[in-house]
Amino acid sequence: MNARKELIQRLAIKRRRKLGELSDEAFGELEIAVREDPLKFIDDNEEDAFLLVTKALERHDESRQNDDFLDDDQYAQARTQRLKALLTASKQALSIDESCLDARLLGILASDRSQEETFGELLALHEETTRDLGEIPLSAAGDAWADVFVRPRLRLQAALARTAINTARFRKAQDLCLDLLARAPLDVLGARFTCALAMARLEDEDGFDWLDAREGRHGNAWFHLGRAILMYKLGRIPAARRALRGYDRLCTGGAYLILQPMYVDAYLPDRPAFESGSFEESLLCTHEADPIISDIPDFPAWASAQTGFLASAQSFCKRNGFEWRDWNEQL
């Protein structure tokens, strides 16, 4: 979430509403002025609260810069402190504007409860918001994301969909994602990635193929891994083998991450940015797919037995200085 960018957009739009119609050039100059000193343009509680959220997220990101140098105990302590800081900021923002949805979302996610508890709280917030505000509206541009004031609702629904995957509510995840894709077809938040995993787990080949075609069949880690899982669950082993080879070849570190899962911290509040084809993409994908792979416990062993897959994983591990754990150590 680029909260600073959204804050500037929100403030510029509100100031334009007060000033009346502005030309594109004048609005561009207004945005520059807001960017240089946002505080001068904050004159309501809604944006005061959003500013607190913005600063809290920036501090959180800055505090993670040295995580790679911490041992496990130091990391756990730093993480606990970060989550406490986010919770405090969330409460402060809500004391200013109790309707600040991003603050409520952060408060739930930073509470670090079980996935079941998190799902329940997110679902209740989603239902409350829909009841009070109605369905998420489309903007004049035909994509809800174009309205910066609607984005908190899209983030909430995307977080709910990912948590539905984590709690084995695959049909719910699919329904939430398809609704997001209908309301925000440009899909800045990547609901299609979550949807691909849900459809793979549900053995929905027609749905998966429709989604893949919707994306122009360009593919990414979620689609490559999702297709391998889908074909494997359908018992179409030759097709699963081909999909697995494609996943290994096209997704950096993909084989390693299937056989040696790595820890990924909670998304606060949405999926981190990543470069296409990067190791970070593969890492986020396998992290999100972990509840599904865990539900198919023989899938990693099957993948490991496929020609070249284990060798590819071990080669990547060695080249990048990662740790390799034997299977019995992972059990």
Side-chain angles (χ1 to χ4, degrees), residues 105 108-109 114-123 156-170 172-173 176 194 291:
L105 174 59
I108 293 172
L109 297 176
S114 71
Q115 287 297 308
E116 274 295 331
E117 291 174 304
T118 299
F119 177 82
E121 292 190 28
L122 291 176
L123 179 62
L156 169 60
Q157 187 162 328
L160 179 59
R162 288 191 299 271
T163 311
I165 290 276
N166 292 338
T167 55
R169 293 176 171 87
F170 305 111
K172 180 67 172 178
L176 288 164
T194 308

Side-chain angles (χ1 to χ4, degrees), residues 76-243:
Q77 183 178 7
R79 180 178 183 273
T80 298
Q81 291 173 345
R82 282 196 294 264
L83 293 179
K84 285 183 178 178
L86 279 178
L87 277 172
T88 298
S90 170
K91 292 174 182 177
Q92 289 175 339
L94 291 172
S95 71
I96 296 172
D97 176 21
E98 63 182 12
S99 67
C100 182
L101 191 56
D102 279 314
R104 296 184 70 181
L105 174 59
L106 275 178
I108 293 172
L109 297 176
S111 296
D112 205 26
R113 298 187 178 95
S114 71
Q115 287 297 308
E116 274 295 331
E117 291 174 304
T118 299
F119 177 82
E121 292 190 28
L122 291 176
L123 179 62
L125 180 56
H126 181 262
E127 291 176 343
E128 174 192 330
T129 305
T130 302
R131 182 180 63 249
D132 293 346
L133 301 179
E135 299 292 341
I136 296 174
L138 289 175
S139 76
D143 191 299
W145 186 259
D147 185 343
V148 70
F149 298 101
V150 172
R151 292 179 189 178
R153 299 185 63 185
L154 298 173
R155 279 191 283 272
L156 169 60
Q157 187 162 328
L160 179 59
R162 288 191 299 271
T163 311
I165 290 276
N166 292 338
T167 55
R169 293 176 171 87
F170 305 111
R171 184 70 64 186
K172 180 67 172 178
Q174 176 179 283
D175 291 345
L176 288 164
C177 289
L178 289 175
D179 183 71
L180 277 173
L181 290 172
R183 299 178 191 281
L186 292 179
D187 193 27
V188 174
L189 292 174
R192 62 194 184 279
F193 307 153
T194 308
C195 196
L197 294 179
M199 287 176 166
R201 174 59 182 81
L202 293 167
E203 302 178 27
D204 183 358
E205 185 176 4
D206 290 341
F208 189 95
D209 192 60
W210 168 83
L211 190 63
D212 194 18
R214 180 186 183 276
E215 297 306 306
R217 305 202 186 279
H218 298 304
N220 66 9
W222 284 267
F223 282 90
H224 294 311
L225 179 57
R227 186 170 292 281
I229 291 172
L230 172 63
M231 294 297 105
Y232 181 79
K233 284 189 61 62
L234 290 173
R236 307 225 314 254
I237 301 305
R241 192 177 293 120
R242 289 192 298 273

Side-chain angles (χ1 to χ4, degrees), residues 16-122:
R16 178 175 61 183
R17 289 172 181 170
K18 289 186 175 181
L19 295 174
E21 288 301 319
L22 295 176
S23 66
D24 291 343
E25 182 179 357
F27 183 66
E29 293 177 356
L30 174 60
E31 283 189 303
I32 292 172
V34 175
R35 189 177 301 114
E36 290 177 349
D37 190 358
L39 292 178
K40 288 176 59 176
F41 294 85
I42 294 178
D43 53 14
D44 63 40
N45 289 342
E46 184 180 26
E47 301 313 324
D48 264 331
F50 194 81
L51 175 63
L52 283 177
V53 170
T54 298
K55 289 182 175 180
L57 286 172
E58 290 175 344
R59 287 194 300 268
H60 178 269
D61 290 344
E62 289 171 5
S63 70
R64 298 183 63 182
Q65 297 303 311
N66 296 319
D67 277 0
D68 290 343
F69 301 101
L70 304 178
D71 62 31
D72 289 348
D73 290 340
Q74 290 171 328
Y75 172 79
Q77 183 178 7
R79 180 178 183 273
T80 298
Q81 291 173 345
R82 282 196 294 264
L83 293 179
K84 285 183 178 178
L86 279 178
L87 277 172
T88 298
S90 170
K91 292 174 182 177
Q92 289 175 339
L94 291 172
S95 71
I96 296 172
D97 176 21
E98 63 182 12
S99 67
C100 182
L101 191 56
D102 279 314
R104 296 184 70 181
L105 174 59
L106 275 178
I108 293 172
L109 297 176
S111 296
D112 205 26
R113 298 187 178 95
S114 71
Q115 287 297 308
E116 274 295 331
E117 291 174 304
T118 299
F119 177 82
E121 292 190 28
L122 291 176

